[in-house]
């Protein structure tokens, strides 16, 4: 039985643990970044930002990197953007639409968030976006890539990252016209991102004059890619396009090399991005991919991100860190256009006019709130004792409709309906 001082110490420890538990996901990812309790005072006032990214579940690593990018940018600005002190309230997006919507409600109704930044899972984004529109709180998406999230002109939703098909349409054209590979097999994941990323490549590739000869789709989190790799028609295709982000990409590449497939590979950039490249290592050598970011971009803005992220996170900067950092830059320039207390109307109007020189290069928004930016055709090579996506060529100002124009593009059927129809 403890003495009174001991019991007091126990109670103090319990109280501290409960306080930590209550803060939970609201703790900053970056030491020194502003939180709900430490927001800096700005000369023009304060803006409360709800940061809603996954901190648990399969996309937790992505959400953590997005948050780190956003918080590092705020930290670099002393927590003040264009005269407004930024009060950050962070919640966990969770793993399903119901959890994500509940957290969005908490940010808006309890924490009084004036703007929400984040979302990685497209299914959750589809559930959260209508709620935020009804609540009249602007949404700036950082990762969720479903094409349909930015198809409403003048809407409440903006997105700094890609649509699933956006970054690979230039690759389809490049593979046909520049690399000269005339017949492609597609090997991808069997869910909405996989269908859209395969469809964007296939559309541009075929419209450039080449042909898809085979489509193979595997379930998300496939453990053994051997049976799928074995189906590739090696005597018909002269290139294989793959889309398999995360650990699926690691396992797919290993199977591809283990089974000795000699066909060149082109890929959606998320298949070989910096989150998986250190593990993929030599299995990714020579893969040509396309994405809106690589740490190899040479610019002062990217140097700042790479230095800050590498120092804090002890790993390479990546597309998710850029998405968070760029969201901070976008918010800063939007606020620069506002005098007085920001309103939903003034924030939306300001976001439509934003043009920033971010780590990835110039970024602006189309009439639907979707980011327009450079897409980089990259090649995996050894560099400085590691592996890197070196830039082969840059395709400037790529929008979600690529070269088709919005009027024509929006008449196309959704890529979910075109799955299985590309191969001739």
């Amino acid at each position: 039985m403890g003495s009174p001082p001991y019991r007091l110490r126990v109670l103090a420890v319990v109280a501290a643990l409960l306080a930590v538990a209550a803060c939970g996901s609201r703790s900053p990812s970056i030491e020194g970044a502003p939180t709900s309790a430490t927001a800096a005072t700005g000369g023009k006032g304060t803006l409360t930002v709800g940061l809603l990214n996954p901190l648990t579940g399969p996309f937790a690593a992505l959400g953590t990197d997005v948050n780190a990018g956003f918080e590092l940018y705020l930290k670099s600005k002393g927590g003040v953007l264009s005269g407004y002190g930024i009060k950050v309230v962070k919640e966990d997006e969770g793993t399903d639409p119901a959890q994500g919507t509940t957290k969005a409600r908490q940010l808006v109704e309890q924490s009084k968030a004036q703007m929400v930044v984040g979302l990685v899972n497209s299914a959750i984004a589809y559930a959260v976006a209508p709620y935020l529109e009804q609540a009249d709180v602007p949404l700036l998406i950082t990762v969720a890539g479903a094409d349909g999230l930015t198809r409403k002109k003048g809407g409440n939703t903006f997105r700094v990252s890609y649509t699933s098909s956006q970054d690979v349409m230039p690759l389809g054209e490049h593979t046909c016209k520049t690399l000269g590979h005339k017949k492609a097999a597609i090997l991808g994941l069997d869910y909405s991102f996989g269908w859209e990323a395969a469809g964007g490549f296939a559309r541009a590739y075929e419209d450039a004059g080449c042909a898809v000869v085979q489509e193979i789709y595997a379930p998300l989190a496939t453990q053994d890619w051997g049976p799928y790799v074995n189906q590739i028609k090696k005597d018909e295709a002269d290139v294989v396009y793959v889309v398999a982000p995360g650990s699926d990409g690691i396992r797919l590449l290993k199977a591809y090399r283990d089974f000795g497939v000699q066909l060149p590979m082109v890929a959606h950039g998320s298949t070989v991005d910096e989150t998986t490249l250190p593990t993929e290592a030599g299995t990714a050598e020579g893969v040509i991919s396309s994405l809106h970011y690589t740490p190899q971009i040479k610019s002062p803005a990217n140097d700042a991100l790479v230095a800050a992220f590498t120092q804090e996170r002890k790993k390479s900067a990546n597309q998710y860190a850029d998405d968070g950092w760029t969201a901070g830059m976008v918010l800063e320039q939007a606020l620069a256009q506002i005098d007085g207390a920001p309103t939903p109307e003034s924030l939306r109007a300001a976001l439509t006019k934003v043009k920033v020189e971010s780590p990835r290069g110039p970024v602006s928004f189309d009439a639907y709130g979707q980011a327009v930016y450079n897409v980089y055709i990259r090649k995996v090579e050894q560099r400085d004792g590691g592996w890197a996506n070196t830039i082969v060529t840059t395709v400037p100002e790529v929008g979600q409709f690529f070269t088709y124009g919005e009027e024509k593009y929006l008449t196309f059927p959704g890529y979910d309906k075109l799955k299985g129809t590309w191969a001739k």
Side-chain angles (χ1 to χ4, degrees):
M1 189 174 191
S3 64
Y6 175 77
R7 287 199 298 273
L8 288 175
R9 289 199 299 273
V10 170
L11 288 172
V13 170
V14 171
L17 290 173
L18 289 174
V20 170
C23 290
S25 59
R26 299 185 182 191
S27 301
S29 303
I30 302 301
E31 185 177 353
T35 69
S36 58
T38 63
T41 301
K44 295 167 68 176
T46 301
L47 180 80
T48 300
V49 173
L51 197 54
L52 184 60
N53 280 303
L55 300 175
T56 55
F59 297 129
L62 281 58
T64 301
D65 284 352
V66 174
N67 285 347
F70 186 78
E71 292 173 338
L72 280 168
Y73 189 72
L74 288 183
K75 182 180 178 181
S76 75
K77 298 291 182 175
V80 178
L81 299 181
S82 298
Y84 293 91
I86 304 301
K87 177 181 177 182
V88 176
V89 184
K90 195 186 322 180
E91 290 292 354
D92 183 356
E93 168 185 313
T95 57
D96 64 57
Q99 292 178 40
T101 304
T102 297
K103 294 300 182 181
R105 287 184 180 277
Q106 289 180 9
L107 288 172
V108 172
E109 297 170 14
Q110 297 178 16
S111 301
K112 306 303 180 186
Q114 297 163 274
M115 182 171 178
V116 170
V117 175
L119 298 175
V120 169
N121 185 318
S122 288
I124 295 176
Y126 269 124
V128 168
Y131 163 70
L132 292 176
E133 184 169 8
Q134 178 269 325
D136 201 19
V137 175
L139 168 62
L140 182 60
I141 293 175
T142 47
V143 177
D147 286 14
L149 286 166
T150 48
R151 291 293 165 78
K152 182 177 181 180
K153 189 176 286 188
N156 187 61
T157 299
F158 297 78
R159 174 163 47 189
V160 296
S161 55
Y162 52 62
T163 71
S164 306
S165 58
Q166 186 171 349
D167 287 17
V168 290
M169 286 189 279
L171 181 64
E173 193 172 85
H174 180 84
T175 301
C176 180
K177 291 184 175 179
T178 304
L179 298 179
H181 300 310
K182 301 300 183 184
K183 295 181 179 180
I186 290 175
L187 177 57
L189 286 167
D190 200 5
Y191 74 119
S192 58
F193 174 73
W195 307 331
E196 291 178 347
F201 172 86
R203 181 183 302 287
Y205 181 71
E206 292 194 340
D207 286 347
C210 293
V212 174
V213 297
Q214 186 180 23
E215 293 176 68
I216 306 168
Y217 297 96
L220 189 64
T222 291
Q223 297 302 306
D224 182 4
W225 278 85
Y228 300 96
V229 168
N230 258 338
Q231 294 178 42
I232 295 172
K233 295 179 179 177
K234 304 175 187 64
D235 55 340
E236 294 186 33
D238 57 11
V239 67
V240 179
Y241 166 75
V242 303
V243 50
S247 55
D248 272 298
I250 296 171
R251 292 188 290 268
L252 185 158
L253 282 166
K254 184 177 186 306
Y256 199 87
R257 304 309 180 193
D258 286 349
F259 281 82
V261 181
Q262 298 299 314
L263 294 173
M265 178 186 289
V266 296
H268 188 285
S270 61
T271 307
V272 289
D273 72 17
E274 287 68 28
T275 62
T276 55
L277 194 53
T279 303
E280 292 166 339
T283 64
E285 184 171 17
V287 173
I288 302 288
S289 69
S290 59
L291 197 65
H292 58 278
Y293 182 75
T294 166
Q296 303 302 312
I297 296 168
K298 303 300 182 187
S299 72
N302 193 42
D303 290 347
L305 166 62
V306 169
F309 191 84
T310 303
Q311 180 178 353
E312 289 285 345
R313 305 289 292 170
K314 311 303 181 191
K315 65 178 184 179
S316 173
N318 55 58
Q319 59 168 319
Y320 308 109
D322 166 73
D323 290 335
W325 186 281
T326 297
M329 297 186 77
V330 165
L331 179 58
E332 180 180 38
Q333 193 174 107
L335 290 173
Q337 304 171 49
I338 298 173
D339 291 319
T343 66
E345 292 78 13
S346 65
L347 281 168
R348 284 190 290 266
L351 285 167
T352 64
K353 301 173 184 174
V354 163
K355 291 183 179 179
V356 297
E357 192 67 28
S358 83
R360 76 182 71 160
V363 175
S364 60
F365 293 98
D366 66 16
Y368 298 83
Q370 175 58 38
V372 178
Y373 46 69
N374 295 342
V375 166
Y376 302 93
I377 307 295
R378 309 104 44 91
K379 182 177 183 180
V380 175
E381 296 178 331
Q382 274 194 304
R383 177 165 292 191
D384 301 327
W387 296 92
N389 283 297
T390 59
I391 298 172
V392 175
T393 190
T394 302
V395 185
E397 297 185 30
V398 176
Q400 63 176 325
F401 308 122
F402 193 38
T403 59
Y404 295 96
E406 64 182 75
E407 186 174 344
K408 179 179 180 181
Y409 197 89
L410 291 175
T411 65
F412 296 151
Y415 288 119
D416 57 330
K417 297 178 175 60
L418 295 173
K419 170 196 166 189
T421 69
W422 299 108
K424 306 296 189 296

